[in-house]
Amino acid sequence: AQSVTQLGSHVSVSEGALVLLRCNYSSSVPPYLFWYVQYPNQGLQLLLKYTTGATLVKGINGFEAEFKKSETSFHLTKPSAHMSDAAEYFCAVRAEFGSARQLTFGSGTQLTVLP
Amino acid sequence: KAGVTQTPRYLIKTRGQQVTLSCSPISGHRSVSWYQQTPGQGLQFLFEYFSETQRNKGNFPGRFSGRQFSNSRSEMNVSTLELGDSALYLCASSLAGQINQPQHFGDGTRLSIL
């Protein structure tokens, strides 16, 4: 079985500060990893994905994430937070076989950006 | 290009009733997945359809069912509604359902059970 752990259900940063949202996964087979963002009363929007190749992945809105196999991590970062980044962020994992094909989500991290 | 469309956006039902939710995927997408989102359980996978066939199913009771039509539109049905079924139901589509393809989500149907 695969799982995703997001450390910190709530993270607060000041506008202009570094954003770091943590994600650790467990998977018995090579994973595909995704970060999604959800704004109030909306669905999920894909920020970025890791499938194969380069371990540093750049996404939309200035976000990026690094896949570290040795640490089983896929942390999301943004150098400078903007007020519009306030939202809930979800890390998710998929893998090739059986029930692992389904997208498994972490519990989410609510990001607050302080003026 | 239009995104994933879910109807209705909001729905209020009472216990014991049944409900049908609809999802129209992005044009050309053939895979549709459904998720339930609640404050307590988070995002949980319900099922995935591809070319009118259920390809994967999550751990939900048989009261939850779905289907996909030849035009890739999908419906999910919940029978004998319970209070715990109150949730945001999200539909997502992808091109061919391959693992490395991202899923594109609709804005969801918020179901409230009284």
Side-chain angles (χ1 to χ4, degrees):
Chain A
Q2 59 192 14
S3 65
V4 177
T5 302
Q6 291 185 238
L7 291 174
S9 58
H10 290 84
V11 170
S12 293
V13 300
S14 297
E15 191 174 19
L18 171 71
V19 176
L20 171 60
L21 304 182
R22 300 178 186 274
C23 171
N24 288 88
Y25 69 91
S26 71
S27 178
S28 57
V29 293
Y32 295 93
L33 296 158
F34 305 84
W35 274 100
Y36 285 88
V37 61
Q38 186 177 33
Y39 297 99
N41 298 316
Q42 293 186 23
L44 278 69
Q45 179 183 4
L46 179 71
L47 280 176
L48 48 79
K49 65 173 182 175
Y50 169 78
T51 53
T52 56
T55 56
L56 183 62
V57 180
K58 294 188 183 298
I60 62 171
N61 302 339
F63 284 94
E64 62 182 37
E66 186 171 10
F67 171 63
K68 292 186 176 180
K69 184 178 178 180
S70 61
E71 298 177 9
T72 60
S73 69
F74 191 56
H75 301 332
L76 181 71
T77 60
K78 182 174 180 177
S80 176
H82 192 271
M83 296 298 288
S84 61
D85 294 328
E88 189 155 23
Y89 292 79
F90 294 92
C91 181
V93 63
R94 292 184 88 174
E96 287 284 357
F97 303 103
S99 62
R101 286 182 53 86
Q102 68 192 48
L103 197 57
T104 299
F105 287 91
S107 55
T109 297
Q110 183 68 47
L111 175 66
T112 299
V113 182
L114 305 170
Chain B
K1 199 174 192 181
V4 177
T5 304
Q6 292 188 245
T7 56
R9 285 296 311 277
Y10 302 92
L11 206 47
I12 299 175
K13 292 286 187 179
T14 57
R15 281 181 297 173
Q17 288 187 308
Q18 76 163 14
V19 68
T20 299
L21 310 182
S22 179
C23 172
S24 293
I26 292 172
S27 178
H29 284 195
R30 295 167 59 196
S31 171
V32 173
S33 297
W34 289 88
Y35 298 86
Q36 182 196 63
Q37 185 177 25
T38 60
Q41 299 299 316
L43 281 153
Q44 293 186 287
F45 171 76
L46 280 158
F47 24 66
E48 178 192 6
Y49 286 88
F50 179 76
S51 293
E52 302 179 66
T53 301
Q54 187 180 87
R55 194 156 64 174
N56 208 349
K57 190 177 190 303
N59 189 25
F60 278 81
R63 299 186 297 108
F64 291 82
S65 63
R67 59 178 176 169
Q68 186 181 33
F69 302 95
S70 58
N71 61 358
S72 295
R73 191 177 70 83
S74 177
E75 290 181 346
M76 68 164 281
N77 184 77
V78 188
S79 62
T80 320
L81 286 165
E82 300 177 359
L83 292 177
D85 297 333
S86 293
L88 180 66
Y89 290 89
L90 292 166
C91 167
S93 74
S94 66
L95 201 56
Q98 292 174 345
I99 296 298
N100 62 344
Q101 293 172 344
Q103 296 186 351
H104 300 269
F105 285 78
D107 285 338
T109 294
R110 185 164 297 280
L111 175 63
S112 299
I113 311 301
L114 304 179

Coordinates of all heavy atoms in Angstrom, one line a residue, chain B residues 19-100:
Chain B
V19 N -29.1 9.9 -4.9 CA -28.7 11.0 -5.6 C -27.8 10.6 -6.8 O -27.1 9.6 -6.7 CB -27.9 12.0 -4.7 CG1 -26.6 11.4 -4.2 CG2 -27.7 13.3 -5.3
T20 N -27.9 11.4 -7.9 CA -27.0 11.1 -9.0 C -26.3 12.4 -9.3 O -26.9 13.5 -9.4 CB -27.8 10.7 -10.3 OG1 -28.5 9.5 -10.0 CG2 -26.9 10.5 -11.5
L21 N -24.9 12.3 -9.4 CA -24.1 13.4 -9.8 C -23.5 13.2 -11.2 O -23.2 12.1 -11.5 CB -22.9 13.5 -8.7 CG -23.3 13.5 -7.3 CD1 -22.1 13.7 -6.4 CD2 -24.4 14.5 -6.9
S22 N -23.3 14.3 -11.9 CA -22.9 14.2 -13.2 C -21.5 14.9 -13.4 O -21.2 15.9 -12.8 CB -23.9 14.9 -14.2 OG -23.5 14.8 -15.5
C23 N -20.7 14.4 -14.4 CA -19.4 14.9 -14.7 C -19.2 14.8 -16.2 O -19.2 13.7 -16.8 CB -18.3 14.1 -13.9 SG -16.6 14.5 -14.4
S24 N -18.8 16.0 -16.8 CA -18.4 16.0 -18.2 C -16.9 16.3 -18.2 O -16.5 17.4 -17.8 CB -19.2 17.1 -18.9 OG -20.5 16.8 -19.0
P25 N -16.1 15.4 -18.7 CA -14.7 15.5 -18.8 C -14.3 16.6 -19.8 O -15.1 17.0 -20.6 CB -14.2 14.2 -19.1 CG -15.2 13.5 -19.9 CD -16.5 14.1 -19.3
I26 N -13.0 16.9 -19.8 CA -12.4 17.7 -20.8 C -12.5 17.0 -22.1 O -12.3 15.8 -22.2 CB -10.9 18.0 -20.5 CG1 -10.9 19.0 -19.2 CG2 -10.2 18.7 -21.6 CD1 -9.4 19.2 -18.7
S27 N -12.8 17.7 -23.2 CA -13.0 17.1 -24.5 C -11.7 16.3 -24.9 O -10.6 16.8 -24.8 CB -13.2 18.2 -25.5 OG -13.3 17.7 -26.8
G28 N -12.0 15.1 -25.3 CA -10.9 14.2 -25.6 C -10.4 13.3 -24.5 O -9.6 12.3 -24.8
H29 N -10.7 13.6 -23.3 CA -10.3 12.8 -22.2 C -11.2 11.6 -22.1 O -12.4 11.7 -22.1 CB -10.3 13.6 -20.9 CG -9.2 14.6 -20.7 ND1 -8.9 15.2 -19.5 CD2 -8.3 15.0 -21.6 CE1 -7.8 15.9 -19.7 NE2 -7.5 15.9 -20.9
R30 N -10.6 10.4 -21.8 CA -11.4 9.2 -21.8 C -11.4 8.6 -20.4 O -12.2 7.6 -20.2 CB -10.8 8.2 -22.8 CG -10.9 8.7 -24.2 CD -10.1 7.9 -25.2 NE -10.4 6.5 -25.2 CZ -9.7 5.5 -25.6 NH1 -8.5 5.8 -26.2 NH2 -10.1 4.3 -25.6
S31 N -10.6 9.1 -19.5 CA -10.6 8.5 -18.1 C -11.3 9.5 -17.2 O -11.0 10.7 -17.2 CB -9.2 8.3 -17.7 OG -9.1 7.9 -16.3
V32 N -12.1 9.0 -16.3 CA -12.8 9.8 -15.3 C -12.7 9.1 -14.0 O -13.0 7.9 -13.8 CB -14.3 10.0 -15.7 CG1 -15.0 10.7 -14.5 CG2 -14.4 10.8 -16.9
S33 N -12.3 9.9 -13.0 CA -12.2 9.4 -11.6 C -13.0 10.2 -10.7 O -13.2 11.4 -10.9 CB -10.7 9.4 -11.1 OG -9.9 8.6 -11.9
W34 N -13.5 9.6 -9.6 CA -14.3 10.3 -8.6 C -13.7 10.2 -7.3 O -13.1 9.2 -6.9 CB -15.7 9.7 -8.5 CG -16.6 9.9 -9.7 CD1 -16.7 9.2 -10.9 CD2 -17.5 11.0 -9.9 NE1 -17.6 9.7 -11.7 CE2 -18.2 10.8 -11.1 CE3 -18.0 12.0 -9.1 CZ2 -19.2 11.7 -11.6 CZ3 -18.9 12.9 -9.5 CH2 -19.5 12.7 -10.8
Y35 N -13.8 11.3 -6.5 CA -13.2 11.4 -5.2 C -14.3 12.0 -4.2 O -15.1 12.8 -4.6 CB -12.0 12.3 -5.1 CG -10.8 11.7 -6.0 CD1 -10.8 12.0 -7.3 CD2 -9.9 10.9 -5.4 CE1 -9.7 11.5 -8.1 CE2 -8.8 10.4 -6.2 CZ -8.8 10.7 -7.6 OH -7.8 10.2 -8.3
Q36 N -14.2 11.6 -3.0 CA -15.0 12.2 -1.9 C -14.1 13.0 -1.0 O -13.0 12.5 -0.6 CB -15.7 11.1 -1.1 CG -16.6 11.6 0.0 CD -17.0 10.6 1.0 OE1 -16.1 10.0 1.7 NE2 -18.2 10.3 1.1
Q37 N -14.4 14.2 -0.7 CA -13.6 15.0 0.2 C -14.4 15.5 1.4 O -15.5 16.1 1.3 CB -13.1 16.3 -0.5 CG -12.1 17.1 0.3 CD -11.5 18.3 -0.4 OE1 -12.1 18.8 -1.3 NE2 -10.4 18.7 0.0
T38 N -14.0 15.1 2.6 CA -14.6 15.5 3.8 C -13.5 16.0 4.8 O -12.4 15.7 4.7 CB -15.3 14.3 4.5 OG1 -14.3 13.3 4.8 CG2 -16.4 13.7 3.7
P39 N -13.9 16.9 5.8 CA -13.0 17.4 6.7 C -12.3 16.3 7.5 O -11.1 16.4 7.9 CB -13.8 18.3 7.6 CG -15.0 18.7 6.8 CD -15.3 17.5 5.9
G40 N -13.0 15.2 7.8 CA -12.5 14.2 8.7 C -11.6 13.2 8.0 O -10.5 12.8 8.5
Q41 N -12.0 12.8 6.8 CA -11.3 11.7 6.0 C -10.4 12.3 4.9 O -9.7 11.5 4.3 CB -12.3 10.7 5.5 CG -13.2 10.0 6.5 CD -12.3 9.2 7.5 OE1 -11.4 8.5 7.0 NE2 -12.6 9.3 8.8
G42 N -10.5 13.5 4.6 CA -9.8 14.1 3.5 C -10.3 13.6 2.2 O -11.5 13.4 2.0
L43 N -9.3 13.5 1.2 CA -9.7 13.1 -0.2 C -9.5 11.6 -0.3 O -8.5 11.1 -0.1 CB -8.7 13.8 -1.1 CG -9.0 15.2 -1.5 CD1 -7.8 16.0 -1.9 CD2 -10.1 15.3 -2.6
Q44 N -10.6 11.0 -0.7 CA -10.6 9.5 -0.8 C -11.1 9.1 -2.2 O -12.1 9.6 -2.7 CB -11.5 8.9 0.3 CG -11.0 9.0 1.7 CD -11.8 8.3 2.7 OE1 -12.9 8.6 3.0 NE2 -11.3 7.1 3.1
F45 N -10.4 8.2 -2.8 CA -10.7 7.7 -4.1 C -12.0 6.8 -4.1 O -12.1 5.9 -3.3 CB -9.5 6.9 -4.6 CG -9.8 6.2 -5.9 CD1 -9.8 6.8 -7.1 CD2 -9.9 4.8 -5.9 CE1 -10.0 6.1 -8.3 CE2 -10.1 4.1 -7.1 CZ -10.2 4.7 -8.3
L46 N -12.9 7.1 -5.0 CA -14.1 6.3 -5.1 C -14.0 5.2 -6.2 O -14.0 4.1 -6.0 CB -15.3 7.2 -5.4 CG -15.9 7.9 -4.2 CD1 -16.7 9.1 -4.6 CD2 -16.8 7.0 -3.4
F47 N -13.8 5.7 -7.5 CA -13.6 4.8 -8.6 C -13.1 5.5 -9.8 O -13.1 6.8 -9.9 CB -14.9 4.0 -9.0 CG -16.2 4.7 -8.6 CD1 -16.6 5.9 -9.2 CD2 -17.1 4.0 -7.7 CE1 -17.8 6.4 -8.8 CE2 -18.3 4.6 -7.3 CZ -18.6 5.8 -7.9
E48 N -12.6 4.7 -10.8 CA -12.1 5.2 -12.0 C -12.7 4.5 -13.2 O -12.9 3.3 -13.1 CB -10.6 5.1 -12.1 CG -10.0 5.5 -13.4 CD -8.5 5.1 -13.6 OE1 -8.0 4.4 -12.8 OE2 -7.9 5.5 -14.6
Y49 N -13.1 5.2 -14.2 CA -13.7 4.7 -15.4 C -12.8 5.0 -16.6 O -12.3 6.1 -16.7 CB -15.1 5.1 -15.6 CG -16.1 4.5 -14.7 CD1 -16.3 5.1 -13.4 CD2 -16.7 3.3 -15.0 CE1 -17.2 4.5 -12.5 CE2 -17.6 2.7 -14.1 CZ -17.8 3.3 -12.9 OH -18.7 2.7 -12.0
F50 N -12.7 4.1 -17.5 CA -12.0 4.3 -18.8 C -12.8 3.5 -19.9 O -13.0 2.3 -19.7 CB -10.6 3.8 -18.7 CG -9.8 4.0 -19.9 CD1 -9.3 5.3 -20.3 CD2 -9.5 2.9 -20.8 CE1 -8.6 5.5 -21.5 CE2 -8.8 3.1 -21.9 CZ -8.3 4.4 -22.3
S51 N -13.1 4.2 -20.9 CA -13.9 3.6 -22.0 C -15.0 2.8 -21.5 O -15.2 1.6 -21.9 CB -12.9 2.7 -22.9 OG -12.0 3.5 -23.5
E52 N -15.8 3.4 -20.7 CA -17.1 2.8 -20.2 C -16.9 1.6 -19.2 O -17.9 1.0 -18.8 CB -18.0 2.4 -21.3 CG -18.3 3.5 -22.3 CD -19.2 3.1 -23.4 OE1 -20.4 2.7 -23.2 OE2 -18.7 3.1 -24.6
T53 N -15.6 1.3 -18.8 CA -15.4 0.2 -17.9 C -14.8 0.7 -16.6 O -13.9 1.6 -16.6 CB -14.4 -0.8 -18.6 OG1 -14.9 -1.2 -19.8 CG2 -14.1 -1.9 -17.7
Q54 N -15.2 0.2 -15.5 CA -14.7 0.5 -14.2 C -13.3 -0.1 -14.1 O -13.2 -1.4 -14.1 CB -15.6 0.1 -13.1 CG -15.1 0.6 -11.7 CD -16.0 0.2 -10.6 OE1 -15.8 -0.9 -10.0 NE2 -17.0 1.0 -10.3
R55 N -12.3 0.7 -13.9 CA -10.9 0.1 -14.0 C -10.3 0.0 -12.6 O -9.4 -0.8 -12.3 CB -10.0 1.0 -14.8 CG -8.7 0.4 -15.2 CD -8.1 1.0 -16.4 NE -7.7 2.4 -16.2 CZ -7.1 3.1 -17.2 NH1 -6.7 2.5 -18.3 NH2 -6.8 4.4 -17.0
N56 N -10.9 0.7 -11.6 CA -10.3 0.7 -10.3 C -11.4 1.2 -9.3 O -12.3 2.0 -9.7 CB -9.1 1.6 -10.2 CG -8.1 1.2 -9.1 OD1 -8.4 0.3 -8.3 ND2 -7.0 1.8 -9.2
K57 N -11.4 0.6 -8.1 CA -12.5 1.0 -7.2 C -11.9 1.2 -5.8 O -11.0 0.4 -5.4 CB -13.5 -0.1 -7.1 CG -14.8 0.3 -6.3 CD -15.8 -0.9 -6.4 CE -17.2 -0.4 -5.8 NZ -17.1 0.0 -4.4
G58 N -12.3 2.2 -5.1 CA -11.8 2.5 -3.7 C -12.6 1.7 -2.7 O -13.5 0.9 -3.1
N59 N -12.4 1.9 -1.5 CA -13.0 1.2 -0.4 C -14.2 1.8 0.1 O -14.3 2.4 1.2 CB -11.9 1.0 0.7 CG -12.4 0.0 1.8 OD1 -13.3 -0.9 1.5 ND2 -11.9 0.2 3.0
F60 N -15.3 1.8 -0.7 CA -16.6 2.4 -0.3 C -17.6 1.3 -0.4 O -17.5 0.4 -1.2 CB -16.9 3.6 -1.2 CG -16.3 4.9 -0.8 CD1 -14.9 5.1 -1.2 CD2 -17.0 5.8 -0.1 CE1 -14.3 6.3 -0.8 CE2 -16.4 7.0 0.3 CZ -15.0 7.2 -0.1
P61 N -18.7 1.5 0.3 CA -19.8 0.5 0.3 C -20.5 0.5 -1.1 O -20.4 1.4 -1.9 CB -20.8 0.9 1.4 CG -20.4 2.3 1.7 CD -19.0 2.5 1.4
G62 N -21.2 -0.6 -1.3 CA -21.9 -0.8 -2.6 C -23.0 0.3 -2.9 O -23.5 0.3 -4.0
R63 N -23.3 1.1 -1.9 CA -24.3 2.1 -2.1 C -23.7 3.2 -3.1 O -24.5 3.9 -3.7 CB -24.6 2.9 -0.8 CG -25.3 2.0 0.3 CD -25.7 2.8 1.5 NE -24.5 3.5 2.1 CZ -24.3 4.8 2.1 NH1 -25.1 5.6 1.4 NH2 -23.3 5.3 2.7
F64 N -22.4 3.2 -3.2 CA -21.8 4.1 -4.2 C -21.5 3.4 -5.5 O -20.9 2.3 -5.5 CB -20.4 4.6 -3.6 CG -20.6 5.5 -2.4 CD1 -20.8 5.0 -1.1 CD2 -20.5 6.9 -2.5 CE1 -21.0 5.8 0.0 CE2 -20.7 7.7 -1.4 CZ -20.9 7.2 -0.2
S65 N -22.0 3.9 -6.5 CA -21.8 3.3 -7.8 C -21.6 4.4 -8.9 O -21.9 5.5 -8.7 CB -23.0 2.4 -8.2 OG -24.2 3.2 -8.3
G66 N -21.1 3.9 -10.0 CA -20.9 4.9 -11.1 C -21.1 4.2 -12.4 O -21.2 3.0 -12.6
R67 N -21.0 5.1 -13.5 CA -20.9 4.5 -14.8 C -20.4 5.6 -15.7 O -20.3 6.8 -15.4 CB -22.3 4.1 -15.3 CG -23.4 5.2 -15.3 CD -24.7 4.7 -15.8 NE -25.8 5.7 -15.8 CZ -27.0 5.5 -16.4 NH1 -27.2 4.5 -17.1 NH2 -27.9 6.5 -16.3
Q68 N -20.0 5.1 -16.9 CA -19.4 6.1 -17.9 C -20.1 5.8 -19.2 O -20.3 4.6 -19.6 CB -17.9 5.9 -18.0 CG -17.3 7.0 -18.9 CD -15.8 6.8 -19.1 OE1 -15.2 5.7 -19.0 NE2 -15.1 7.9 -19.2
F69 N -20.4 6.8 -19.9 CA -21.1 6.7 -21.2 C -20.1 6.7 -22.4 O -18.9 7.0 -22.2 CB -22.1 7.8 -21.3 CG -23.2 7.8 -20.2 CD1 -23.0 8.6 -19.1 CD2 -24.3 7.0 -20.3 CE1 -23.9 8.6 -18.1 CE2 -25.2 7.0 -19.2 CZ -25.0 7.8 -18.1
S70 N -20.6 6.4 -23.5 CA -19.7 6.3 -24.7 C -19.1 7.7 -25.0 O -18.0 7.7 -25.7 CB -20.5 5.8 -25.9 OG -21.6 6.7 -26.2
N71 N -19.7 8.8 -24.6 CA -19.0 10.1 -24.9 C -18.1 10.5 -23.7 O -17.7 11.7 -23.6 CB -20.1 11.2 -25.1 CG -21.0 11.3 -23.8 OD1 -20.9 10.6 -22.8 ND2 -22.0 12.3 -23.9
S72 N -17.8 9.6 -22.8 CA -16.9 9.7 -21.7 C -17.5 10.5 -20.5 O -16.9 10.5 -19.4 CB -15.6 10.4 -22.1 OG -14.8 9.6 -22.9
R73 N -18.7 11.0 -20.7 CA -19.4 11.6 -19.5 C -19.6 10.5 -18.5 O -19.8 9.3 -18.8 CB -20.7 12.2 -19.9 CG -21.4 13.1 -18.9 CD -22.6 13.8 -19.4 NE -23.7 12.8 -19.6 CZ -24.5 12.4 -18.7 NH1 -24.4 12.9 -17.5 NH2 -25.5 11.5 -19.0
S74 N -19.6 10.9 -17.2 CA -19.8 10.0 -16.1 C -20.8 10.4 -15.1 O -21.0 11.6 -14.9 CB -18.4 9.7 -15.4 OG -18.5 8.8 -14.4
E75 N -21.4 9.5 -14.5 CA -22.3 9.7 -13.4 C -22.0 8.9 -12.2 O -21.5 7.7 -12.4 CB -23.8 9.4 -13.8 CG -24.4 10.4 -14.8 CD -25.8 10.0 -15.1 OE1 -26.3 8.9 -14.8 OE2 -26.5 10.9 -15.7
M76 N -22.2 9.4 -11.0 CA -22.1 8.5 -9.9 C -23.4 8.6 -9.1 O -24.1 9.7 -9.1 CB -20.9 8.9 -8.9 CG -21.0 10.2 -8.2 SD -19.8 10.3 -6.9 CE -20.7 9.3 -5.6
N77 N -23.8 7.5 -8.5 CA -25.0 7.4 -7.8 C -24.7 7.0 -6.3 O -23.9 6.1 -6.1 CB -25.9 6.4 -8.5 CG -27.3 6.3 -7.9 OD1 -28.1 7.2 -8.0 ND2 -27.5 5.3 -7.1
V78 N -25.4 7.6 -5.4 CA -25.4 7.1 -4.0 C -26.8 6.8 -3.6 O -27.7 7.7 -3.7 CB -24.8 8.2 -3.1 CG1 -24.6 7.6 -1.7 CG2 -23.4 8.7 -3.6
S79 N -27.0 5.6 -3.2 CA -28.4 5.2 -2.7 C -28.4 5.2 -1.2 O -27.4 5.2 -0.5 CB -28.7 3.8 -3.3 OG -27.8 2.8 -2.8
T80 N -29.6 5.2 -0.7 CA -29.9 5.2 0.7 C -28.9 6.1 1.5 O -28.1 5.7 2.3 CB -29.8 3.7 1.3 OG1 -30.3 2.8 0.4 CG2 -30.5 3.6 2.6
L81 N -29.0 7.4 1.2 CA -28.1 8.3 1.7 C -28.1 8.3 3.3 O -29.1 8.2 3.9 CB -28.5 9.7 1.2 CG -28.2 10.0 -0.2 CD1 -28.9 11.3 -0.7 CD2 -26.7 10.1 -0.4
E82 N -26.9 8.5 3.8 CA -26.6 8.6 5.2 C -26.0 10.0 5.5 O -25.4 10.6 4.6 CB -25.7 7.5 5.7 CG -26.2 6.1 5.4 CD -25.2 5.0 5.8 OE1 -24.0 5.4 6.3 OE2 -25.5 3.8 5.6
L83 N -26.1 10.4 6.8 CA -25.6 11.7 7.2 C -24.1 11.8 6.8 O -23.6 12.9 6.4 CB -25.8 12.0 8.7 CG -27.2 12.2 9.1 CD1 -27.3 12.3 10.6 CD2 -27.9 13.4 8.4
G84 N -23.4 10.7 7.0 CA -21.9 10.7 6.7 C -21.6 10.9 5.2 O -20.4 11.0 4.9
D85 N -22.6 10.8 4.4 CA -22.3 11.0 2.9 C -22.2 12.5 2.6 O -21.8 12.8 1.4 CB -23.4 10.4 2.1 CG -23.5 8.9 2.3 OD1 -22.5 8.2 2.6 OD2 -24.6 8.3 2.1
S86 N -22.4 13.4 3.5 CA -22.3 14.8 3.3 C -20.8 15.1 3.0 O -19.9 14.7 3.8 CB -22.7 15.6 4.5 OG -24.1 15.5 4.7
A87 N -20.5 15.6 1.8 CA -19.1 15.8 1.4 C -19.1 16.6 0.1 O -20.2 16.9 -0.5 CB -18.5 14.4 1.1
L88 N -17.9 17.0 -0.3 CA -17.7 17.5 -1.6 C -17.2 16.3 -2.5 O -16.3 15.6 -2.2 CB -16.6 18.6 -1.6 CG -16.2 19.2 -2.9 CD1 -17.4 20.1 -3.4 CD2 -15.0 20.1 -2.7
Y89 N -17.9 16.1 -3.6 CA -17.6 15.0 -4.5 C -16.9 15.6 -5.7 O -17.5 16.5 -6.4 CB -18.9 14.2 -4.9 CG -19.4 13.4 -3.7 CD1 -20.3 14.0 -2.8 CD2 -18.9 12.2 -3.5 CE1 -20.7 13.3 -1.7 CE2 -19.3 11.4 -2.4 CZ -20.2 12.0 -1.5 OH -20.6 11.3 -0.4
L90 N -15.7 15.2 -6.0 CA -14.9 15.7 -7.1 C -14.7 14.7 -8.2 O -14.5 13.5 -7.9 CB -13.5 16.1 -6.5 CG -13.5 17.3 -5.5 CD1 -12.2 17.4 -4.8 CD2 -13.7 18.6 -6.3
C91 N -14.8 15.2 -9.4 CA -14.6 14.4 -10.5 C -13.3 14.9 -11.2 O -13.0 16.1 -11.2 CB -15.7 14.6 -11.5 SG -15.5 13.9 -13.2
A92 N -12.5 14.0 -11.7 CA -11.3 14.4 -12.4 C -11.1 13.6 -13.7 O -11.5 12.4 -13.8 CB -10.0 14.1 -11.5
S93 N -10.6 14.2 -14.7 CA -10.4 13.5 -16.0 C -9.0 13.6 -16.4 O -8.2 14.5 -16.1 CB -11.3 14.1 -17.1 OG -10.9 15.3 -17.6
S94 N -8.6 12.6 -17.2 CA -7.3 12.6 -17.8 C -7.4 12.0 -19.2 O -8.4 11.3 -19.5 CB -6.2 11.8 -17.0 OG -6.5 10.5 -16.9
L95 N -6.3 12.2 -20.0 CA -6.4 11.8 -21.4 C -6.7 10.3 -21.6 O -7.7 10.0 -22.3 CB -5.1 12.2 -22.1 CG -5.1 12.3 -23.6 CD1 -6.1 13.4 -24.0 CD2 -3.7 12.7 -24.1
A96 N -5.9 9.5 -21.1 CA -6.1 8.0 -21.3 C -5.9 7.3 -20.0 O -5.8 6.0 -20.0 CB -5.1 7.5 -22.3
G97 N -5.9 8.0 -18.9 CA -5.8 7.3 -17.6 C -4.4 6.7 -17.3 O -4.3 6.0 -16.3
Q98 N -3.4 7.1 -18.0 CA -2.1 6.6 -17.7 C -1.5 7.3 -16.4 O -1.9 8.4 -16.1 CB -1.1 6.9 -18.9 CG -1.5 6.0 -20.1 CD -0.7 6.4 -21.3 OE1 0.0 7.4 -21.3 NE2 -0.7 5.5 -22.3
I99 N -0.7 6.5 -15.7 CA -0.2 7.0 -14.4 C 0.5 8.3 -14.4 O 0.3 9.1 -13.5 CB 0.7 5.9 -13.8 CG1 -0.1 4.6 -13.6 CG2 1.3 6.4 -12.5 CD1 -1.2 4.7 -12.7
N100 N 1.2 8.6 -15.5 CA 2.0 9.8 -15.5 C 1.3 11.0 -16.0 O 1.8 12.1 -16.1 CB 3.3 9.6 -16.3 CG 3.0 9.3 -17.8 OD1 1.9 8.9 -18.1 ND2 4.0 9.4 -18.7

